[in-house]
Amino acid sequence: MAAIGEFVGPVRQPVEGAALQSSPLYWMYEMSHAALNPSRAMADVSRLLFKNPINPVSHTPMGKSMAAAFELFERTTRRYAKPEWGITDTTVNGHRVPIHINAVWARPFCRLLHFEREFAQPLRRPQPRLVIVAPMSGHHATLLRGTVEAFLPTHDVYVTDWLDAKTVPLADGRFGLDDYVDYLISIFHRLGGDCHVLAVCQPAVPVLMAIARMEAEDDPYAPKSMILMGGPIDTREAPTAVNALAKDKGIEFFRRNVITQVPWSHAGATRHVYPGFLQLTGFMSMNLDRHVKAHYDLFGHLVKGDGDSAEKHREFYDEYLAVMDLDARFYLETVESVFITHALPTGQMQHRGQPVKTQAIHRTALMTVEGEKDDISGIGQTKAAHTLCPRIPEAKRAHYMQPGVGHYGVFNGSRFRSEIQPRIADFILSQEFPRAVDMDGANVTALYPR
């Protein structure tokens, strides 16, 4: 059987076509950022001056307010770099285990990171391999730091680390939805099929596509199970504001208004992209009042000297405000096929000119997870995967809806750690040991490798 990941054949027609024009949008953004550099530097110096304990003014309400104002200005006008993972160890069976992060597979737009645990003594039974497919939707894979940390004690974790499109030279080619699927299939081949895959939000669609193509070809390296979390499998179900915007505007609106070229100051100069700063604007505009209040609260914490609360704000926004550009081809193809034409649930989706037959999936188990208050992927959009995969046996499928959480809470936070992650771990083990583990997870704990 030919390896689908290496398939060369008819390529999906680029939806951006020749209609894309060179837009000055990115250049204007770069110029405005550069113009603020002197003011930002002055604000940072002034902040240090008003926080210096030698300065008597720093102990007054006015001095504290000035220091807080300067920090707020500097933070709201800076460019945030890709955060570090900051994961150095975990706890397995009560023992501290060092973590080494290694890239074990690489392509121009992605690296597969292995969070390798250095055990003093080998485990009696290997723990399940889990490939976490991070969303390629503007934020870096480090947004899933909490997700990774939750699985490290009980799983051998791999994560897709998508690269910022502005750092990828144009000579490395374009990147579309077909390429995304090819990457996933290549990763599953690299791991020999001995893995489970967890897709967070956007990658739910390409993961389902990749496994459907592998199953249709009887590929022996298809993952043992797929867990789809808060993903837009069928956006006709409980459409959200995000879905409605795409449907109402149409693909031409996005092609004309949000696609621009990377400036010459970056390695990916002249590449057509959907820039991260526009994506961030869209993220924040959905809950603008909440973000404004958070920054207002930060000012108050700084004035009062509440260092713990201020640091929590910094940690969250250092991650949230660090964004990356997406190749225009991938972005436009995703918007059109997932949100406008609903190609996957209507049976029109193709990969490299071949139909994507989700009904071919029968060996890979399926679990879907949704959040009750998810305002990005509405209730039922992810669960629709079960309807599209009728040949998966009942013993190899599960669905869970977490009460009281929004989109972010589906894959991070206290309820994820205490209620969602254990259910996913149980489901994975039920596929590792199908005869010994009941589907309710009642016998799972006793089977965990020690």
Side-chain angles (χ1 to χ4, degrees):
M1 186 206 75
I4 302 174
E6 306 301 327
F7 179 84
V8 177
V11 180
R12 181 191 304 272
Q13 183 65 29
V15 293
E16 75 271 23
L20 286 181
Q21 302 294 324
S22 179
S23 167
L25 184 63
Y26 215 137
W27 295 91
M28 293 170 63
Y29 169 76
E30 292 282 338
M31 290 173 60
S32 63
H33 185 269
L36 283 171
N37 278 340
S39 300
R40 188 162 41 251
M42 183 62 70
D44 202 28
V45 170
S46 301
R47 176 184 65 84
L48 295 174
L49 174 64
F50 282 101
K51 288 190 70 175
N52 194 324
I54 300 177
N55 183 358
V57 180
S58 67
H59 303 286
T60 66
M62 184 194 75
K64 295 177 180 178
S65 297
M66 292 296 290
F70 284 126
E71 176 171 343
L72 208 58
F73 175 82
E74 191 276 332
R75 290 188 61 82
T76 54
T77 57
R78 77 160 71 154
R79 179 179 292 160
Y80 289 79
K82 179 181 179 180
E84 297 293 332
W85 281 97
I87 299 176
T88 58
D89 59 77
T90 188
T91 301
V92 180
N93 300 330
H95 299 284
R96 177 186 171 276
V97 178
I99 297 289
H100 301 286
I101 305 176
N102 304 309
V104 297
W105 175 97
R107 293 292 185 274
F109 286 85
C110 183
R111 301 182 304 161
L112 182 67
L113 301 182
H114 182 204
F115 288 75
E116 186 176 356
R117 299 166 299 175
E118 185 180 315
F119 293 104
Q121 295 180 343
L123 294 173
R124 288 193 333 202
R125 182 187 293 125
Q127 294 180 332
R129 278 180 173 176
L130 178 63
V131 179
I132 300 178
V133 183
M136 193 181 190
S137 55
H139 282 111
H140 296 280
T142 51
L143 191 69
L144 302 185
R145 184 182 294 103
T147 315
V148 173
E149 289 176 329
F151 281 104
L152 278 173
T154 52
H155 295 76
D156 187 14
V157 177
Y158 296 76
V159 176
T160 57
D161 184 32
W162 302 103
L163 303 186
D164 192 334
K166 69 171 173 282
T167 69
V168 182
L170 198 59
D172 285 332
R174 305 303 302 273
F175 183 84
L177 189 55
D178 285 341
D179 301 292
Y180 197 124
V181 173
D182 289 342
Y183 277 26
L184 293 176
I185 295 174
S186 179
I187 288 172
F188 300 150
H189 281 203
R190 168 66 177 78
L191 298 178
D194 181 20
C195 66
H196 304 262
V197 57
L198 185 150
V200 179
C201 187
Q202 168 269 320
V205 170
V207 163
L208 190 58
M209 290 175 61
I211 294 176
R213 291 287 290 123
M214 296 178 81
E215 288 267 46
E217 297 281 348
D218 290 325
D219 192 325
Y221 299 123
K224 295 178 180 178
S225 74
M226 56 176 158
I227 299 92
L228 311 181
M229 305 179 67
I233 299 299
D234 188 350
T235 58
R236 297 173 301 178
E237 299 285 340
T240 64
V242 175
N243 310 147
L245 175 66
K247 193 70 176 177
D248 294 343
K249 296 295 185 181
I251 195 63
E252 287 299 327
F253 170 85
F254 296 96
R255 182 184 290 118
R256 291 194 308 266
N257 293 284
V258 303
I259 302 302
T260 184
Q261 282 185 302
V262 177
W264 286 104
S265 57
H266 301 282
T270 73
R271 179 180 296 279
H272 283 99
V273 297
Y274 176 39
F277 62 84
L278 275 186
Q279 182 82 319
L280 181 61
T281 301
F283 286 148
M284 299 193 73
S285 64
M286 293 183 64
N287 297 286
L288 185 59
D289 54 341
R290 187 185 304 171
H291 294 294
V292 171
K293 183 179 184 304
H295 283 77
Y296 179 81
D297 291 342
L298 172 62
F299 181 85
H301 297 323
L302 292 171
V303 172
K304 295 175 183 176
D306 186 351
D308 290 341
S309 297
E311 188 56 31
K312 288 180 181 179
H313 175 99
R314 294 189 190 102
E315 289 176 359
F316 175 80
Y317 279 98
D318 283 355
E319 188 78 58
Y320 189 78
L321 299 177
V323 291
M324 55 185 282
D325 299 345
L326 309 181
D327 188 280
R329 176 174 294 180
F330 167 74
Y331 173 75
L332 292 173
E333 288 179 353
T334 299
V335 170
E336 183 173 48
S337 61
V338 175
F339 297 100
I340 297 177
T341 64
H342 313 291
L344 189 62
T346 59
Q348 303 175 55
M349 186 68 81
Q350 292 191 347
H351 168 252
R352 300 293 182 191
Q354 299 297 316
V356 175
K357 300 178 180 179
T358 56
Q359 63 271 24
I361 301 175
H362 63 284
R363 292 174 296 153
T364 301
L366 170 64
M367 180 179 184
T368 53
V369 181
E370 297 181 335
E372 180 187 24
K373 298 182 178 180
D374 194 334
D375 57 355
I376 303 295
S377 297
I379 293 179
Q381 292 187 10
T382 312
K383 187 179 181 181
H386 290 280
T387 303
L388 299 181
C389 305
R391 292 182 60 197
I392 298 178
E394 286 301 317
K396 296 171 71 71
R397 63 170 73 231
H399 173 73
Y400 178 67
M401 193 277 289
Q402 175 62 49
V405 303
H407 189 70
Y408 189 77
V410 170
F411 61 89
N412 218 331
S414 59
R415 292 190 179 179
F416 168 77
R417 292 189 298 271
S418 63
E419 300 183 51
I420 298 177
Q421 190 275 344
R423 285 178 166 86
I424 295 174
D426 289 352
F427 180 76
I428 290 174
L429 280 181
S430 73
Q431 306 311 312
E432 287 280 313
F433 311 104
R435 294 183 180 180
V437 183
D438 67 33
M439 293 304 295
D440 294 328
N443 300 327
V444 167
T445 305
L447 286 172
Y448 248 94
R450 297 296 180 185

